[in-house]
Amino acid sequence: MLFEKVSKGGEKGRRFYACSACRDRKDCHFFQWEDDKVSEARLLAREAENQSKRPPLTQQERIKRFKKLGSLRLDEKKFCQDCQMLLLPAEHEAHSSHRSVGVSSAQLRRPSVLLRPLLNKKSNAQYLFTDRSAHFLLDSLAALGYNKVLCVGTPRLQELITLRNLEGKHEPMKSLLLDIDFRYAQFYSQDEFCHYNMFNHHFFDGKASSAVLQAFLTESEGGKLVMVADPPFGGLVKPLANSFSLLSQTWRKLQSSDGSGADMPMMWIFPYFFEPRILECLPSLTMLDYQVDYDNHPLYKHGKTGRKQSPVRIFTNISPKDIVLPKDEGYRFCSVCQRFVLSLNKHSWRHCAPCGRCALPDHPCGLSEGTEGCFNCGSLKHKRKACSVQDSQRTRSNRPNAKSGSKNVSHRPNQKPKAKRKSGAARRAKKLAAQSE
């Protein structure tokens, strides 16, 4: 991916290429200035490095192994915890010194539980949905009539779809998992998994995976498709938005010959404080109040109050009024906003029709969010930090009382104890609650 160094003064610097998925040179040391001339020796060395990082098996070999594993007896199926791979009977001896365990059919259907999560925050951190969040997502999609789910970085949602299909109690769904973790290829057929980098829209298996995606995106016989994406939170928003837009464009072209029509329905799961960046790239998305939580994250847990509240939300181009948030978890329907909101969100603000949003009664009307100007005096020419009215008020409050007639007496105003400064997360949460009213 092409990056650019920027100085502290905002001046542009040289542009360079670096790994799109890893933000630490220790994980991927690729670096190249944009205007560099690459020698043949460097190209050969780079290709050798790429080969060393590739999965140990080709796609064809993985497909053969998948079919063999399906025909094995229960006592023949094993999983090597050290190598993080399923073992065929002929491979048991080679892994005898490793930690190997037997694998049941039920465990094979829950690979996210069997595999060790990758937790490198600067490359491939994997945080997995709790059952609560996964069931909510799937129930919501089923209620809206979607029967094909493109799972981008959501292995647990893929598993839940597979399990529900086996139960036979719900309408069957089709799903395709796109994920950078090639370990999942052991558990799914060629039509269920593609090795994919969502930061640069790259398919590692080339045209074969692209063909699988196109076949899946083609809606026929009443098919109705939606994409659910759960990217790493440390990733850049613009590259992700670009990849999701390309997926949407591919879907749109497959539905009509001229590529016209609506965008592909999608749900992008990301922390709420990225809302301005996400809406800048994909303005058709709306943020829902629903808190998404994760099994293996210390902070991103569901809670109504306090620090345990998860900051992760759902950004979607599906109409918010159609996505019913659970009443027993503290959500209610707001008739003014025509959407489900957290019950704690009350309308201290009023809905402004010209602005199309809720705002303070005396706000400057007709301006888009983020351009309100000064919160102190209401001027549109400056922000609060540069407000002269605020400075003059501060000066008057600190001026000594001239009527006292004494120069030796301190005339400090009565000062209240300083309130404890709220954390950045608390301030963002307060602002979010106000905006969603």
Side-chain angles (χ1 to χ4, degrees):
M1 188 181 295
L2 184 63
F3 296 88
E4 186 176 84
K5 285 185 177 292
V6 181
S7 64
K8 291 183 179 180
E11 296 178 2
K12 295 184 177 181
R14 288 181 72 182
R15 301 205 297 182
F16 62 94
Y17 292 98
C19 181
S20 61
C22 302
R23 293 177 295 143
D24 195 327
R25 296 277 175 82
K26 294 178 182 178
D27 300 313
C28 179
H29 61 259
F30 179 89
F31 181 92
Q32 179 184 315
W33 293 111
E34 183 187 23
D35 51 3
D36 263 2
K37 291 183 179 179
V38 184
S39 65
E40 186 67 25
R42 280 185 67 186
L43 287 174
L44 292 173
R46 186 175 295 165
E47 181 58 29
E49 175 72 11
N50 289 344
Q51 290 289 349
S52 68
K53 299 289 185 181
R54 286 175 182 167
L57 301 173
T58 65
Q59 185 185 30
Q60 289 73 24
E61 290 171 332
R62 293 197 299 265
I63 294 170
K64 288 181 181 179
R65 285 176 60 85
F66 178 81
K67 292 179 179 178
K68 286 183 180 179
L69 282 162
S71 61
L72 293 177
R73 300 192 313 269
L74 183 62
D75 61 330
E76 294 178 316
K77 297 176 183 177
K78 286 191 175 182
F79 178 75
C80 179
Q81 294 178 327
D82 293 335
C83 301
Q84 292 285 287
M85 64 180 291
L86 293 166
L87 302 177
L88 296 173
E91 299 166 335
H92 291 176
E93 181 62 29
H95 293 261
S96 58
S97 61
H98 297 177
R99 293 173 296 169
S100 298
V101 294
V103 183
S104 66
S105 298
Q107 287 175 310
L108 287 174
R109 300 187 192 109
R110 297 297 305 269
S112 71
V113 178
L114 195 60
L115 295 170
R116 188 189 311 118
L118 305 174
L119 297 176
N120 187 335
K121 294 181 180 180
K122 292 190 176 181
S123 57
N124 47 18
Q126 289 177 325
Y127 297 116
L128 304 165
F129 295 145
T130 58
D131 285 342
R132 164 193 165 269
S133 291
H135 278 281
F136 166 76
L137 287 168
L138 193 50
D139 289 342
S140 299
L141 297 178
L144 293 167
Y146 294 107
N147 53 16
K148 298 182 77 174
V149 184
L150 182 63
C151 300
V152 184
T154 59
R156 188 147 286 181
L157 184 62
Q158 167 97 342
E159 292 172 15
L160 186 56
I161 292 171
T162 303
L163 291 172
R164 283 202 182 185
N165 288 340
L166 289 171
E167 290 174 357
K169 297 179 182 179
H170 303 81
E171 288 293 322
M173 277 187 173
K174 293 182 179 180
S175 60
L176 173 63
L177 176 63
L178 308 183
D179 205 289
I180 200 168
D181 187 354
F182 64 84
R183 298 178 301 172
Y184 282 100
Q186 305 172 83
F187 301 89
Y188 296 111
S189 68
Q190 182 182 8
D191 297 331
E192 295 174 309
F193 174 82
C194 291
H195 192 196
Y196 174 73
N197 180 357
M198 70 178 80
F199 288 102
N200 61 358
H201 192 56
H202 176 72
F203 290 89
F204 290 91
D205 292 319
K207 292 182 179 179
S209 290
S210 297
V212 170
L213 174 68
Q214 292 208 14
F216 185 81
L217 293 180
T218 303
E219 294 182 352
S220 59
E221 299 177 358
K224 189 178 177 183
L225 182 139
V226 62
M227 181 191 81
V228 181
D230 185 30
F233 300 151
L236 296 172
V237 169
K238 283 188 177 181
L240 290 169
N242 182 64
S243 294
F244 300 158
S245 296
L246 291 173
L247 287 170
S248 181
Q249 289 173 23
T250 303
W251 172 84
R252 190 165 51 243
K253 288 177 182 177
L254 291 169
Q255 313 318 313
S256 60
S257 57
D258 59 355
S260 62
D263 291 331
M264 175 176 64
M266 68 173 69
M267 289 184 171
W268 178 349
I269 298 168
F270 227 49
Y272 66 75
F273 39 82
F274 283 100
E275 181 183 19
R277 298 184 191 178
I278 291 176
L279 299 188
E280 180 185 356
C281 298
L282 298 175
S284 63
L285 301 188
T286 302
M287 186 177 72
L288 306 181
D289 276 14
Y290 184 80
Q291 295 180 7
V292 180
D293 56 340
Y294 298 83
D295 264 344
N296 57 328
H297 196 286
L299 296 177
Y300 292 178
K301 303 288 186 182
H302 172 64
K304 294 181 181 179
T305 59
R307 292 191 65 186
K308 290 186 178 180
Q309 289 188 91
S310 171
V312 185
R313 300 291 185 269
I314 299 171
F315 295 84
T316 182
N317 55 5
I318 301 170
S319 176
K321 69 178 180 181
D322 296 332
I323 303 175
V324 181
L325 305 189
K327 184 178 179 180
D328 59 346
E329 292 184 16
Y331 300 98
R332 64 178 177 84
F333 185 77
C334 176
S335 58
V336 178
C337 297
Q338 284 293 294
R339 56 179 289 174
F340 287 83
V341 299
L342 195 65
S343 295
L344 296 175
N345 289 347
K346 303 295 182 182
H347 274 283
S348 59
W349 289 14
R350 295 178 185 173
H351 192 78
C352 176
C355 292
R357 63 185 178 90
C358 294
L360 291 169
D362 57 349
H363 74 286
C365 193
L367 295 174
S368 60
E369 247 181 308
T371 60
E372 292 87 348
C374 179
F375 289 107
N376 188 52
C377 68
S379 171
L380 305 180
K381 297 181 179 180
H382 62 264
K383 295 291 184 180
R384 179 181 58 81
K385 290 183 179 180
C387 181
S388 59
V389 176
Q390 182 180 7
D391 292 338
S392 62
Q393 288 175 346
R394 187 185 299 115
T395 303
R396 286 197 299 269
S397 66
N398 291 326
R399 187 177 298 165
N401 187 349
K403 293 182 179 180
S404 66
S406 173
K407 297 182 181 179
N408 299 323
V409 181
S410 173
H411 294 281
R412 293 181 183 175
N414 293 329
Q415 294 181 347
K416 295 181 179 179
K418 243 184 181 178
K420 186 176 179 181
R421 182 177 175 81
K422 293 183 179 179
S423 67
R427 294 196 301 275
R428 287 191 295 267
K430 184 177 180 181
K431 183 177 179 181
L432 175 68
Q435 289 177 346
S436 61
E437 287 175 350

